[in-house]
Amino acid sequence: MMNGGNLVDNDSAVAGGVEDMYGEDIATMGQPVTPWTVSVASGYTLMRDPRHNKGLAFTERERDAHYLRGLLPPIVLSQELQEKRIMHMLRQYKVPLQRYMAMMDLQERNERLFYKLLIDNVEELLPVVYTPTVGEACQKYGSIFRRPQGLYISLKEKGKILEVLKNWPERSVQVIVVTDGERILGLGDLGCQGMGIPVGKLSLYTALGGVRPSACLPITIDVGTNNEKLLNDEFYIGLRQRRATGQEYAELLHEFMSAVKQNYGEKVLIQFEDFANHNAFELLARYSSSHLVFNDDIQVLFSN
């Protein structure tokens, strides 16, 4: 995987910067155009698809084949030059939250460039997409919210969670990071706005662990919040009610766990993230024998 000090072997990262562990790029590198776009989208729609959009890196041949002429400036920029340009832009921002928002915007429009940037600049950008900046992002998530990046499952979906999971476009999910937002980092109960944690953690799964983005699913379980500030915040994006507990909470989580296993199979990895300790221990005890689960908040702390 290492090549001349880089985290990615150039020969195994043909078009994206992320290691081509599954041979998806190498299998088609000799073809005249990028074949996945034929069945995915073309033209304006293609440029709005973050997984397949290459921005100014689309070649002349690809622009002809996929009806992109006139939709892009005439120049073709390599991914390396795009990366240099974005890093220059990020370094102009003095406020970490601005860098976070810029990175999230990039992820939403050009996924491959996002991961290439993160892999090549991991020491500089890790604190931007995850701790400590993600904490502030979660606190202000309602105000900076642009586009959903995962699944939101609330008490409103009780009895319909399997249907909600089927709304997610990817079928080959291998890793789920789920939170109920009750204990986000050291910031306490952030309710539905804890979604920044699963999103950020799964970005690391891809950038540092080589897991395909399409195999990752961030989920927030919204059972309410006891945070008065959020309940009174007009921009709060979650349920405006006190946090459910006891049987109501347990039934929702049980339905969720059952639906995940039914929809994705027994081998899907479920990471419980930033649950309050009383629920974290209970969930591990209840589901560790029937599901592939772990919680690094408590298992690392108490494994010794």
Side-chain angles (χ1 to χ4, degrees), residues 30-46:
Q31 300 192 29
V33 297
T34 313
W36 35 251
T37 56
V38 175
S39 60
V40 174
S42 62
Y44 193 80
T45 303
L46 173 58

Side-chain angles (χ1 to χ4, degrees), residues 201-245:
K201 181 61 69 77
L202 286 169
S203 294
L204 305 187
Y205 270 68
T206 295
L208 304 181
V211 181
R212 285 177 298 170
S214 60
C216 299
L217 174 54
I219 296 179
T220 290
I221 305 287
D222 186 359
V223 295
T225 179
N226 294 333
N227 186 321
E228 289 289 347
K229 184 177 180 180
L230 290 179
L231 289 173
N232 295 318
D233 183 352
E234 62 179 331
F235 299 125
Y236 179 57
I237 61 174
L239 293 177
R240 295 180 184 276
Q241 65 176 63
R242 292 284 178 179
R243 184 171 284 275
T245 59

Side-chain angles (χ1 to χ4, degrees), residues 66-93:
H66 304 308
Y67 309 100
L68 297 173
R69 287 291 175 188
L71 301 180
L72 291 165
I75 191 69
V76 175
L77 291 184
S78 67
Q79 190 174 60
E80 289 69 26
L81 196 54
Q82 290 187 78
E83 180 182 354
K84 181 179 179 180
R85 178 173 61 84
I86 292 175
M87 285 305 300
H88 175 76
M89 176 194 71
L90 289 173
R91 288 166 179 154
Q92 304 307 304
Y93 292 131

Side-chain angles (χ1 to χ4, degrees), residues 19-73:
E19 183 181 9
D20 184 25
M21 298 177 65
Y22 301 87
E24 294 169 330
D25 291 327
I26 291 177
T28 59
M29 62 184 294
Q31 300 192 29
V33 297
T34 313
W36 35 251
T37 56
V38 175
S39 60
V40 174
S42 62
Y44 193 80
T45 303
L46 173 58
M47 293 197 306
R48 292 299 181 270
D49 183 338
R51 180 172 308 165
H52 301 120
N53 178 34
K54 296 165 62 175
L56 294 175
F58 280 113
T59 66
E60 299 287 352
R61 188 174 293 183
E62 287 171 337
R63 295 179 190 210
D64 286 332
H66 304 308
Y67 309 100
L68 297 173
R69 287 291 175 188
L71 301 180
L72 291 165

